[in-house]
Amino acid sequence: MYRTHSCGELRASHINTEVTLAGWVQKSRDKGFMIWVDLRDRYGITQLIFDEERTAADLMEKAKGLGREFVIQVKGTVIERQSKNPNIPTGDVEVLVSELTVLNEAKLPPFTIEDETDGGEDLRMKYRYLDIRRNPVKESLLFRHKVGMEVRKYLSDEGFAEVETPYLIKSTPEGARDFVVPSRMNEGQFYALPQSPQTFKQLLMVGGMDKYFQIVKCFRDEDLRADRQPEFTQIDCEMTFVEQEDILNTFEGLTRHLLKEIKGVEVDKFPRMQYDDAMRLYGNDKPDIRFGMEFGELNEVAQHKDFKVFNSAELVVGIAVPGAASYTRKEIDKLIDWVKRPQVGALGMVYVKCNEDGSFKSSVDKFYDQEDLAKWAEVTGAKAGDLICVLSGPTDKTRAQMSALRMEMAERLGLRKPDEFAPLWVVDFPLLEWDEETERYHAMHHPFTSPKPEQISLLETEPGKVKANAYDLVLNGNEIGGGSIRIHDKQIQAMMFDYLGFTPEEAKAQFGFLMDAFEYGAPPHGGIAFGFDRLVAILGGQETIRDFIAFPKNNSGRDVMIDAPAPVDNEQLKELSIKLDITE
Amino acid sequence: MYRTHSCGELRASHINTEVTLAGWVQKSRDKGFMIWVDLRDRYGITQLIFDEERTAADLMEKAKGLGREFVIQVKGTVIERQSKNPNIPTGDVEVLVSELTVLNEAKLPPFTIEDETDGGEDLRMKYRYLDIRRNPVKESLLFRHKVGMEVRKYLSDEGFAEVETPYLIKSTPEGARDFVVPSRMNEGQFYALPQSPQTFKQLLMVGGMDKYFQIVKCFRDEDLRADRQPEFTQIDCEMTFVEQEDILNTFEGLTRHLLKEIKGVEVDKFPRMQYDDAMRLYGNDKPDIRFGMEFGELNEVAQHKDFKVFNSAELVVGIAVPGAASYTRKEIDKLIDWVKRPQVGALGMVYVKCNEDGSFKSSVDKFYDQEDLAKWAEVTGAKAGDLICVLSGPTDKTRAQMSALRMEMAERLGLRKPDEFAPLWVVDFPLLEWDEETERYHAMHHPFTSPKPEQISLLETEPGKVKANAYDLVLNGNEIGGGSIRIHDKQIQAMMFDYLGFTPEEAKAQFGFLMDAFEYGAPPHGGIAFGFDRLVAILGGQETIRDFIAFPKNNSGRDVMIDAPAPVDNEQLKELSIKLDITE
C-alpha cells in the first residue's frame, strides 16, 4: 500500500498519527537547517517538514535533492504547524518525515504547474498531461464528471434508459461533413461516424423504448471555428407519446436539477420566447436575458425626416445602454470604430445622449428635434444618463450587428455575470431556411422535424413562414440544447424530403430504413440534444470549452500531444482497398 | 398530453378512474359482440374492452379495424375484469374504452412481436426496431442500462472520475488492426479509432487524476469470430499509487456490488488462482469453477506400461465426469467422435468406467490392470459411477482439448447454471508469449504491463518464464476483465519495447508522448478493463452478447438495418485525398 491518506485529508485531529503519503513535489523551501516540501495529489496539498534537530542527516540530504514534480512516498508523523495556513484545509498540520522514497524523478516541467501558469496554449496542449495537474484543468474535468453523474441520475430516475447507439454507421450527404471509415471487410465501402444518433434514437422510439438518453460522442468534419471540436459530446434524449410541452417540462426539470445540485441556484419556471420575438428584441435566437437593453424598432419615429440613411433602411433599431451618456466624444468614436470592424460590419452608428436634465444630444441633431429624440428614448426605454445607440440597414444584418453591440456593451458594463443563470426556451422556430448558395430551402433543425400541424398547408404557398415544433434551450446567451417534435408519418416525411430537394430514390437510399420503420407503427415522438461540453463550461462559469475536455484538438483538428492524425503505412491502406490521392 | 398512465400501471385501486393510454396493439380478440385489445408499451400490457352493450356502434366498428402493432390512444374507464389474469401486474383490471384514436397504422410485421418469435436472426437484425419491441430484447437493453448506472454509481462513490478520452487518435501497428479515419484537413494523414483508451488513461495518471474510469466504445478491425463486434464497450479503469492487491480489492468490490444490487447474490471473497494452476487444473486461463472435474495429470501413473500412445505423449490428463459410467458404448463412441471433431482436434480418447462395485472397465484394459486404473481414479478424483476421460499429446494442445471436453460435459450435465455466479481472479500471467509466426515474443497483455520486479533479471535468460503483474477477472468461465500494474519507469518501458522488437525509432514514433510523459514524474499506477457487453450478458444469465446491444453488426461487420458500410461518392473521397484501390 502506497499511502494511508491522501494529501488533502489530514487535519488537526490526525496529530501524532503515523501516516504514509504519496504524491508530487509542488515546491520545496530549503532554509538549510529546515526544509519544507508541499506534497500534492488530486485531493490537495500537505506540507512535509524535515529539520536538522529531528531529521536524520542522510534524510535531510535526500530531501535537499527533491525537485519540482518528483514523485515521492513519505512516512512520518502528523504534527501541529507552527504557522498555520488558513487558506488550505490541511493548513493546521504538517508531516514530520521519517522515511522518504523517490518513486520517480522528474525533469523540470516546460511550464509551471500552478493555478496561473506561464505556459502558452500550444505548450500546454503538447504537455496536456502536465496541464491536467494544474488545479483549473483538474477541477474542470472533475466538475464535468459531477455534471455527467447528475444528468444520468436525474434522467434515470425519470425513467429514461441509456442506450448505446453505434459509432460505425452510414454517411449521408445532408448536414455537415461526415468523418468516414473505410471498411476492410466490405471492399470499397465506408462507415461514417455519427454527427448525432438522430435516426437511431428515433428507431428506438419506434422500437418502444419510450424514454431514451445517452451521453455520447459525436463527430463533424467541419473547418473549425474557434472553440469547436471535431469530436464533441451530446446529451441525447428522445421521448415517445409526447407533445412539445412535455419535452419542455421534462428538460426544464433536468436543467433546474443541475443548477440546484451543481450550483446551488434555484430558478423559477423558465421563460419562453418565440423565435420571432427573440430576433426582434435581441437580434439573436439565443439571447442573453441576464440584462435588458432590448431592441427598440425606430422606423416609425425616425423615418419622417430628411435623414436618408434611415429613410432608405429596412430597419432602424436602437438600444439604450445604461449610464453610457457619460461617454466622451473619443469613447463614442471608438465605439463607432468597433461596430465598423469587419467582424460586426455596420456602416456607422447614430447615438443619442440622454442628459440628466431631460434633454437629448445626438449625432443627428441636424435632422431630429428634442421631441423626435424623446420618442426614440420612449421606444428604447432609455432613461436619463443612458446612451441610445442606433443602427440601420437590412433587417437581418442590422439585427445581427445590434446583437453584437448589445453583447459588447453588456460585457463592458459587467452585466454578463458568470454566477447568474438565466435559462430561456426559444420556441416556434421556422421549419425551413432559404439557402442563397444552393437556392433552395434547408431544414433549419433537421429533416425529421415536424411542422406545426396547422401550418402544413402553408408549405405549398409560403414555405418560409411555416413554423416547426422546434425549440432551443438557451442559457446566458448560449444555445445549450435544441430539439423538436419529429415527423412520425411516412407521407409527411416523404413530403419533407421532397421539399428539401431529395429525389424519392435519394431519400430511399439514405433514409429508407427510417421510412420503412414508419410503416410498422411509429409513435409520436420528440426529443432534444444538449451540447455537453458547452453546458459544462457554462455551468462552470466559463465561455470556452477547451479546459473541460481532457484531450482537446487544436483548430486544425490535430492532437498535438500524440501527434495525430499521422500517415499510415501502405500495407494498411492496401488492406482497406484505398490509396492516397494527393495533389502535388 | 398523450396519456395519463402507462400500460403497466393500472391496478384494482384505479377502478372507476378515467384514464388515457397510448401504445401498440399487441393483439385483439374479436368475439363479435365483444372485442378485447391488449395494449402494449415499454412498461406492460393493459387489456382494453369494447362491447356492444356499453360501446357506441361506430367505436365498435373502429376497434374491429385495429391490426397488430397499430399505434393507438384510448380514453376510458378502469373497470374490474371478469376473469382476472394473475400472470400480469395489470391483470385485475381492464379499460372500457370511450374514445379511440389511431395515431399510426402498421403493416403486418415480418415476424411476431412475442417473447418467442418466428423471426430468424437475419430478419430480426434487418428490422431491429421491431425486435426491440420484444420483451427479451427490450429487457436486455434496460438491464444493460441498470448495470451501467450501478457501475457508475459505485465507482463514483469510490472516488473515481469518469473522464472522456478522444476517439480520433493515432494508429499503432502493435495489437489488433485499427479502424482508420482519413483526415481532410491534414492531407494524407489518418486518425485511428481507439482499440482502448490505454495510453490516455495512463497519461491521466501521469496527470494526477488518481482514479479514472470510463464506460467507453472501443474498436477493433478483426475478422469477426462468433459473438464479437467491431465496436464494443469497455469499463475502463485506472488507479494511481496502487499495487496489484489494491486493484483486486477495488474491483472485487465493484463486482460484488453488481452481483448484489443486480442479481441479489452475495459472494464471499473471490478465490485467486495462479495462471499456471489454471492451465494445469482446467487447461484454460478462464476456468468455470461452478463445477469440479479438475484435471488429473496421469503421466506418472500411466506411462509405465506398453501403451505407446501415452508413453510418447508430453501430457496424459484425465477428468472424472460425474455419473457418466452409465454411458453406453454407443454414447461413448459419439463422445469420442465429438473430441475428434476439427474444432476440438483430439486424435482419440481413452475412457475408464468406474463401476458401482468398485471395479473399473476401460478402453485400455489390454495395457492397464485394476490397480493402475484405481490410481487414475485417485488422481482424477473419480468416484463410483463416474467416467474417466483421458486425452494425451503435446501439453498445450491436450489441455485445450480437455478443457473443451470438460465444458461440453458440464453443459450436458447441466452444471453451468446461469443463476450461479462463481467469480475468480486469475493472477501471475506470463509477461510474454512466443509467437511462432513472427518468431518473436509478444506482450501477452500489452507492452505497458509491468514484469514482476523480482523477475526482471530473468528477462535476459528465460523471458518466457517471467511473470507479469497482470490479472484477469473470470466469471463463470468467461474473462470479464483484465488488467495489470503498468510500467512507470522510462528505462524499463524502453527495455520492454526493445524485447518486443521495436527499434528505438519505432518506439519513439509510436509511443514517444508516453515515454516523454514518463520523464515528468510518472507515478506507479495500474488498472483494469471490463468487457461491458459480456459482463452484462453474463449477469443477465446469457452467453451471447448480441441481444444486449441495441444495434449490433453481423459477422461481416455490416449493419443490415441501415445497410452500412456503403459506398461514398467520389467528391467526398477527393476531399479526403484518397481514392479506391480495388483489385478487380
Side-chain angles (χ1 to χ4, degrees):
Chain A
M1 199 155 68
Y2 275 98
R3 57 188 171 188
T4 55
H5 296 77
S6 80
C7 294
E9 203 173 343
L10 299 176
R11 299 287 183 277
S13 60
H14 293 94
I15 286 169
N16 293 326
T17 313
E18 291 294 311
V19 297
T20 307
L21 301 182
W24 286 262
V25 173
Q26 174 75 22
K27 62 177 181 209
S28 64
R29 278 164 299 149
D30 184 352
K31 298 266 178 196
F33 61 95
M34 208 171 262
I35 303 164
W36 291 274
V37 171
D38 279 356
L39 188 67
R40 185 196 71 233
D41 67 10
R42 172 179 139 191
Y43 311 95
I45 281 179
T46 297
Q47 182 166 290
L48 311 178
I49 182 166
F50 306 78
D51 77 38
E52 274 183 348
E53 284 180 26
R54 293 174 289 180
T55 305
D58 58 339
L59 185 51
M60 274 308 269
E61 207 47 50
K62 210 168 169 185
K64 280 178 198 291
L66 292 178
R68 275 182 185 251
E69 302 304 319
F70 274 39
V71 185
I72 63 171
Q73 183 190 39
V74 294
K75 292 185 191 194
T77 312
V78 183
I79 60 175
E80 190 175 1
R81 267 212 218 182
Q82 292 293 322
S83 60
K84 301 197 172 33
N85 179 351
N87 298 320
I88 60 171
T90 61
D92 286 348
V93 299
E94 57 194 356
V95 173
L96 179 67
V97 176
S98 57
E99 246 184 275
L100 165 65
T101 310
V102 174
L103 298 171
N104 220 338
E105 298 192 350
K107 289 207 302 199
L108 192 69
F111 51 86
T112 55
I113 311 293
E114 307 272 0
D115 291 6
E116 297 291 330
T117 180
D118 57 354
E121 183 81 2
D122 289 351
L123 207 56
R124 287 175 50 213
M125 286 301 147
K126 182 166 163 60
Y127 296 92
R128 185 64 166 175
Y129 46 87
L130 298 180
D131 205 25
I132 291 172
R133 288 186 194 163
R134 294 172 52 242
N135 277 323
V137 182
K138 180 194 77 181
E139 292 302 335
S140 296
L141 296 179
L142 294 175
F143 183 78
R144 182 183 179 111
H145 165 64
K146 195 176 164 192
V147 177
M149 284 300 292
E150 287 299 333
V151 169
R152 286 194 161 96
K153 203 188 293 178
Y154 184 87
L155 291 176
S156 188
D157 286 351
E158 290 286 314
F160 286 80
E162 184 160 22
V163 179
E164 294 176 50
T165 53
Y167 279 77
L168 297 173
I169 64 167
K170 189 171 166 174
S171 190
T172 60
E174 187 68 357
R177 209 183 280 104
D178 287 317
F179 283 105
V180 299
V181 182
S183 166
R184 181 179 53 85
M185 288 203 279
N186 301 271
E187 198 176 46
Q189 300 190 17
F190 294 77
Y191 301 99
L193 300 178
Q195 295 183 32
S196 92
Q198 182 63 31
T199 47
F200 288 97
K201 68 177 175 175
Q202 292 194 240
L203 291 173
L204 285 172
M205 295 304 102
V206 175
M209 285 303 289
D210 206 73
K211 292 178 173 181
Y212 144 92
F213 84 101
Q214 191 182 186
I215 300 187
V216 61
K217 273 279 174 76
C218 300
F219 305 85
R220 238 171 248 179
D221 186 10
E222 283 175 332
D223 295 322
L224 297 170
R225 283 184 275 158
D227 213 33
R228 288 270 188 137
Q229 290 281 320
E231 50 177 307
F232 54 97
T233 307
Q234 271 187 200
I235 310 172
D236 193 49
C237 308
E238 198 79 4
M239 299 172 80
T240 295
F241 298 124
V242 288
E243 289 155 352
Q244 176 169 309
E245 191 61 25
D246 303 305
I247 295 195
L248 299 194
N249 288 332
T250 300
F251 293 97
E252 187 164 321
L254 169 65
T255 312
R256 201 182 282 117
H257 173 83
L258 295 179
L259 286 169
K260 190 173 165 203
E261 293 298 318
I262 306 278
K263 304 299 294 183
V265 173
E266 303 257 7
V267 182
D268 277 346
K269 199 155 172 52
F270 297 1
R272 296 181 188 183
M273 189 181 292
Q274 293 207 320
Y275 170 86
D276 288 345
D277 290 337
M279 296 309 289
R280 186 172 51 80
L281 293 171
Y282 301 95
N284 199 311
D285 62 0
K286 42 180 202 278
D288 190 338
I289 57 166
R290 281 175 296 183
F291 52 91
M293 291 198 266
E294 290 179 4
F295 292 9
E297 297 195 349
L298 301 171
N299 294 44
E300 272 186 41
V301 295
Q303 290 184 325
H304 60 298
K305 293 290 173 69
D306 279 345
F307 188 47
K308 292 220 178 79
V309 174
F310 281 4
N311 292 350
S312 65
E314 191 184 2
L315 178 72
V316 182
V317 64
I319 57 170
V321 181
S326 58
Y327 266 40
T328 62
R329 176 69 215 212
K330 205 170 153 193
E331 284 172 319
I332 289 177
D333 282 348
K334 279 182 84 174
L335 193 58
I336 292 173
D337 286 346
W338 189 88
V339 299
K340 287 162 97 171
R341 297 186 322 151
Q343 297 93 319
V344 181
L347 295 175
M349 185 185 92
V350 165
Y351 67 88
V352 184
K353 288 184 173 185
C354 305
N355 298 322
E356 295 292 347
D357 64 4
S359 69
F360 301 97
K361 174 81 192 85
S362 85
S363 57
V364 285
D365 281 351
K366 202 157 47 153
F367 302 99
Y368 299 96
D369 57 26
Q370 293 286 310
E371 202 181 325
D372 290 326
L373 299 178
K375 282 186 190 151
W376 297 16
E378 198 189 323
V379 173
T380 58
K383 292 181 191 58
D386 291 358
L387 179 74
I388 304 174
C389 300
V390 183
L391 300 177
S392 63
T395 302
D396 291 354
K397 268 193 188 161
T398 308
R399 281 176 170 170
Q401 293 159 2
M402 186 54 100
S403 172
L405 178 60
R406 175 177 177 268
M407 295 299 271
E408 172 68 14
M409 296 315 293
E411 201 71 68
R412 292 188 189 184
L413 294 166
L415 300 174
R416 306 197 67 201
K417 301 189 184 113
D419 278 350
E420 200 183 322
F421 293 94
L424 168 75
W425 285 110
V426 177
V427 298
D428 296 348
F429 273 78
L431 181 69
L432 304 166
E433 59 185 346
W434 183 255
D435 186 62
E436 292 291 347
E437 203 177 315
T438 56
E439 296 200 312
R440 64 177 179 88
Y441 280 105
H442 282 255
M444 192 147 179
H445 190 57
H446 55 50
F448 315 110
T449 296
S450 164
K452 298 259 174 206
E454 65 277 15
Q455 296 186 331
I456 288 181
S457 56
L458 268 182
L459 272 173
E460 294 288 342
T461 51
E462 294 180 284
K465 291 231 168 125
V466 177
K467 294 289 191 278
N469 275 322
Y471 31 80
D472 275 359
L473 183 54
V474 174
L475 185 59
N476 296 0
N478 294 277
E479 181 209 326
I480 58 164
S484 66
I485 298 296
R486 323 302 182 187
I487 298 166
H488 67 279
D489 180 274
K490 193 186 153 139
Q491 271 74 40
I492 296 179
Q493 186 65 70
M495 191 177 73
M496 274 300 294
F497 284 137
D498 186 34
Y499 274 108
L500 297 172
F502 288 80
T503 65
E505 292 69 35
E506 285 167 345
K508 192 174 159 50
Q510 286 165 43
F511 302 108
F513 56 97
L514 190 67
M515 308 283 274
D516 282 351
F518 282 2
E519 304 220 64
Y520 291 101
H525 60 288
I528 194 168
F530 291 83
F532 188 57
D533 307 296
R534 188 150 315 275
L535 173 65
V536 171
I538 294 168
L539 288 176
Q542 295 192 29
E543 296 262 321
T544 58
I545 61 177
R546 207 168 271 193
D547 276 353
F548 293 86
I549 297 171
F551 300 101
K553 295 193 170 55
N554 73 9
N555 285 342
S556 317
R558 292 199 71 81
D559 182 326
V560 296
M561 179 186 71
I562 65 169
D563 196 23
V568 301
D569 61 33
N570 282 326
E571 270 310 300
Q572 210 170 342
L573 296 183
K574 213 177 173 84
E575 275 195 319
L576 298 170
S577 307
I578 57 172
K579 56 185 173 191
L580 297 184
D581 179 25
I582 295 182
T583 44
E584 301 298 328
Chain B
M1 202 156 68
Y2 275 99
R3 58 187 171 189
T4 55
H5 296 78
S6 80
C7 294
E9 204 174 343
L10 299 177
R11 301 286 185 275
S13 60
H14 292 95
I15 286 169
N16 291 327
T17 312
E18 290 294 308
V19 298
T20 307
L21 301 181
W24 287 262
V25 172
Q26 173 75 24
K27 65 177 178 210
S28 64
R29 278 164 299 148
D30 183 351
K31 296 267 177 197
F33 60 96
M34 209 172 258
I35 303 164
W36 291 272
V37 171
D38 279 356
L39 188 67
R40 186 196 70 231
D41 67 9
R42 171 179 139 190
Y43 311 96
I45 282 179
T46 297
Q47 181 166 293
L48 312 177
I49 182 168
F50 306 78
D51 76 38
E52 273 183 349
E53 283 179 28
R54 293 174 288 182
T55 307
D58 58 339
L59 185 51
M60 276 305 272
E61 206 48 46
K62 209 169 170 186
K64 280 178 198 291
L66 294 177
R68 276 182 184 250
E69 302 304 319
F70 274 38
V71 186
I72 63 171
Q73 182 190 39
V74 294
K75 293 186 188 189
T77 312
V78 183
I79 60 174
E80 190 176 1
R81 264 210 220 183
Q82 293 293 323
S83 61
K84 303 197 170 34
N85 179 352
N87 298 321
I88 60 172
T90 62
D92 286 348
V93 298
E94 57 195 355
V95 172
L96 179 65
V97 176
S98 58
E99 248 184 273
L100 165 65
T101 309
V102 174
L103 298 171
N104 220 338
E105 298 193 350
K107 290 207 300 197
L108 192 70
F111 51 85
T112 54
I113 313 292
E114 307 272 0
D115 290 7
E116 298 290 332
T117 181
D118 58 353
E121 183 82 2
D122 289 351
L123 207 56
R124 289 174 50 211
M125 286 299 148
K126 183 165 165 56
Y127 297 93
R128 185 64 165 177
Y129 46 87
L130 298 179
D131 204 26
I132 290 172
R133 289 188 193 161
R134 296 173 51 241
N135 277 322
V137 182
K138 181 194 74 181
E139 293 301 334
S140 296
L141 296 179
L142 294 175
F143 183 79
R144 182 183 179 112
H145 165 64
K146 194 176 164 191
V147 177
M149 284 299 293
E150 287 299 333
V151 169
R152 287 194 161 95
K153 202 186 297 176
Y154 184 87
L155 291 176
S156 188
D157 286 349
E158 292 284 315
F160 287 80
E162 184 160 21
V163 180
E164 293 176 50
T165 52
Y167 278 78
L168 296 174
I169 65 166
K170 189 170 164 175
S171 189
T172 60
E174 188 69 358
R177 207 183 282 106
D178 286 318
F179 282 105
V180 298
V181 182
S183 166
R184 182 180 53 87
M185 289 203 279
N186 302 273
E187 199 175 44
Q189 300 189 16
F190 293 78
Y191 302 99
L193 299 178
Q195 295 183 31
S196 92
Q198 182 64 31
T199 46
F200 288 96
K201 69 176 175 175
Q202 292 194 240
L203 291 173
L204 285 172
M205 296 304 102
V206 175
M209 285 303 289
D210 205 73
K211 290 177 174 181
Y212 144 92
F213 84 101
Q214 191 181 189
I215 300 186
V216 61
K217 272 279 174 78
C218 301
F219 304 85
R220 239 172 247 178
D221 185 11
E222 283 176 332
D223 295 321
L224 298 169
R225 281 184 277 158
D227 213 32
R228 288 272 188 134
Q229 290 281 320
E231 50 177 307
F232 55 97
T233 305
Q234 270 187 199
I235 310 171
D236 193 50
C237 308
E238 197 80 4
M239 300 172 79
T240 295
F241 297 124
V242 288
E243 289 157 351
Q244 176 169 310
E245 191 62 24
D246 302 305
I247 296 196
L248 299 195
N249 288 333
T250 301
F251 293 96
E252 188 163 320
L254 169 65
T255 312
R256 202 182 282 117
H257 173 82
L258 294 179
L259 285 169
K260 190 172 166 206
E261 291 301 316
I262 306 277
K263 303 300 294 184
V265 174
E266 304 257 8
V267 181
D268 278 347
K269 201 157 169 50
F270 297 180
R272 297 183 188 181
M273 190 182 292
Q274 293 207 322
Y275 171 86
D276 289 346
D277 289 338
M279 295 310 287
R280 186 172 51 80
L281 293 172
Y282 301 94
N284 199 312
D285 62 1
K286 44 180 199 280
D288 190 338
I289 58 166
R290 282 176 294 182
F291 52 91
M293 290 198 268
E294 290 179 4
F295 292 8
E297 297 195 347
L298 301 171
N299 294 42
E300 272 187 41
V301 294
Q303 291 183 326
H304 59 298
K305 291 292 172 66
D306 279 346
F307 188 48
K308 291 217 177 80
V309 174
F310 282 3
N311 292 350
S312 64
E314 190 182 2
L315 177 71
V316 182
V317 64
I319 57 170
V321 181
S326 59
Y327 266 38
T328 61
R329 176 70 216 213
K330 208 171 152 191
E331 284 172 320
I332 289 178
D333 282 348
K334 279 181 83 173
L335 193 58
I336 293 174
D337 286 345
W338 188 89
V339 298
K340 286 162 97 172
R341 296 185 324 151
Q343 297 93 319
V344 182
L347 294 174
M349 185 185 90
V350 165
Y351 67 88
V352 184
K353 288 185 173 185
C354 305
N355 297 322
E356 294 294 345
D357 64 5
S359 69
F360 301 97
K361 175 79 193 85
S362 85
S363 57
V364 284
D365 281 352
K366 203 153 53 152
F367 301 101
Y368 300 96
D369 58 26
Q370 293 286 310
E371 201 181 326
D372 290 326
L373 299 179
K375 283 185 189 151
W376 296 16
E378 198 186 323
V379 172
T380 58
K383 293 180 191 60
D386 292 357
L387 178 74
I388 304 173
C389 299
V390 183
L391 300 176
S392 63
T395 301
D396 291 354
K397 269 193 189 163
T398 308
R399 281 176 172 171
Q401 292 159 2
M402 186 56 99
S403 173
L405 176 61
R406 175 176 176 269
M407 295 299 271
E408 172 69 15
M409 296 315 292
E411 202 69 68
R412 291 188 190 184
L413 293 166
L415 301 175
R416 306 198 65 201
K417 301 189 184 115
D419 279 349
E420 199 182 323
F421 293 94
L424 168 74
W425 286 110
V426 177
V427 298
D428 295 349
F429 272 77
L431 181 69
L432 304 166
E433 59 185 345
W434 184 255
D435 185 63
E436 293 291 346
E437 203 177 314
T438 55
E439 295 200 313
R440 63 177 180 90
Y441 280 105
H442 282 256
M444 192 147 181
H445 190 55
H446 55 51
F448 316 109
T449 295
S450 164
K452 298 260 174 205
E454 65 277 14
Q455 297 186 332
I456 288 180
S457 57
L458 266 184
L459 271 173
E460 295 286 343
T461 50
E462 294 179 283
K465 291 230 167 127
V466 176
K467 294 288 190 279
N469 275 322
Y471 33 81
D472 276 358
L473 182 54
V474 174
L475 184 59
N476 296 0
N478 293 278
E479 180 208 325
I480 58 164
S484 65
I485 298 297
R486 324 301 182 187
I487 298 167
H488 66 280
D489 180 275
K490 195 185 151 137
Q491 271 73 42
I492 296 179
Q493 186 66 68
M495 190 176 75
M496 273 302 293
F497 284 138
D498 185 36
Y499 274 108
L500 296 172
F502 288 79
T503 66
E505 291 70 34
E506 285 167 343
K508 190 173 162 50
Q510 286 165 41
F511 301 108
F513 56 98
L514 189 68
M515 308 284 275
D516 283 350
F518 282 2
E519 304 220 63
Y520 291 100
H525 61 287
I528 193 167
F530 291 83
F532 188 57
D533 306 296
R534 189 152 311 277
L535 173 65
V536 171
I538 294 168
L539 289 175
Q542 294 193 27
E543 296 261 320
T544 59
I545 61 177
R546 206 169 273 193
D547 276 353
F548 292 86
I549 297 171
F551 300 101
K553 294 192 170 53
N554 73 10
N555 284 342
S556 317
R558 293 198 72 80
D559 182 326
V560 296
M561 180 186 69
I562 64 169
D563 197 23
V568 301
D569 59 34
N570 283 326
E571 270 311 300
Q572 209 171 343
L573 297 183
K574 212 175 174 85
E575 276 195 318
L576 298 169
S577 307
I578 57 172
K579 57 185 171 190
L580 296 185
D581 179 24
I582 294 182
T583 43
E584 301 296 326

